[in-house]
Amino acid sequence: MARHAAAIVVIFLGLSGPDAPLASPAPGLEVIADAALAFTPPSLTAALRCDTPVSVLGWLSVDLSAHPEDHEFRVIATFGAPLSAERWQGCRVLELDIDGALTRVETRYTGVPMERGVYDAVNVELTIDDVRRIAAAQRVRANLCGDVMELPRAERAALSSFVRRFDEMATYDGPPPPSPPEDLAGDAHEDEPPPPDPPAPA
């Protein structure tokens, strides 16, 4: 029986190459599409605002989210503001000036239409080290394709708590790993006394 099963697997793999025909459902059987992946809310978030004249309300929001227990370095930041019309849809790069040090990150447009205008927004992927530097910096500016916004230091104070919680959640605190076997421990035999000298001949 095992030989028959192995033969079936070999035949299946042989038909799965690049030139193999596409599988089609048997007559009368309905093909069910794969279920969409469930959205897992971020376990850690933070938000701050900065002034910008391009916004109809005069401000831009920076929302941070992360899953430190799954991704021990990645933070998603969304830069968004209510605008009268789309402005950043074609913007591909966000430039961060952190105390004079420039960091360029790719953007993904996530704007959504509103009843009047649009909530224009882009997502960028940062590291927790980027967020740590932003929290501790004297001055931080964001340049979104010519629109420059300064992130106020008073607003960035909340990021210190974000960084601390991120580090706590990303730290593994489970049981310690098992000890290696005695013959693999390396120095396990160093403290044993040396064997006695053989008796002298009579």
Side-chain angles (χ1 to χ4, degrees):
M1 179 66 181
R3 286 198 299 269
H4 292 303
I8 293 173
V9 171
V10 170
I11 294 172
F12 175 77
L13 293 177
L15 294 176
S16 300
D19 298 326
L22 296 176
S24 57
L29 295 180
E30 181 180 356
V31 176
I32 301 176
D34 292 338
L37 295 177
F39 170 73
T40 303
S43 54
L44 186 60
T45 60
L48 56 149
R49 286 187 178 184
C50 58
D51 296 336
T52 176
V54 301
S55 169
V56 295
L57 298 180
W59 53 262
L60 174 140
S61 176
V62 183
D63 300 293
L64 282 73
S65 62
H67 295 85
E69 65 281 6
D70 296 325
H71 305 286
E72 296 184 349
F73 62 90
R74 187 172 67 186
V75 177
I76 302 299
T78 301
F79 289 72
L83 306 182
S84 58
E86 291 178 349
R87 186 178 182 93
W88 299 318
Q89 187 173 25
C91 189
R92 297 290 178 261
V93 174
L94 171 74
E95 185 175 87
L96 288 172
D97 181 342
I98 307 173
D99 282 342
L102 298 182
T103 298
R104 293 168 59 87
V105 288
E106 294 184 1
T107 66
R108 184 171 66 88
Y109 186 75
T110 55
V112 293
M114 300 190 302
E115 184 177 350
R116 295 183 179 179
V118 61
Y119 187 82
D120 225 22
V122 298
N123 279 0
V124 298
E125 184 175 309
L126 304 175
T127 68
I128 189 59
D129 285 337
D130 293 328
V131 180
R132 187 176 286 109
R133 290 189 300 120
I134 292 172
Q138 295 294 318
R139 190 173 191 181
V140 179
R141 288 183 174 181
N143 186 335
L144 194 53
C145 291
D147 292 323
V148 180
M149 291 84 53
E150 183 162 348
L151 279 60
R153 193 171 184 182
E155 288 282 330
R156 291 188 282 111
L159 296 183
S160 297
S161 176
F162 181 92
V163 171
R164 177 179 55 80
R165 290 286 296 125
F166 190 104
D167 291 340
E168 291 173 353
M169 296 171 69
T171 300
Y172 176 74
D173 58 356
S179 301
E182 186 175 342
D183 56 349
L184 298 179
D187 57 354
H189 305 289
E190 290 184 1
D191 297 333
E192 296 180 3
D197 295 332

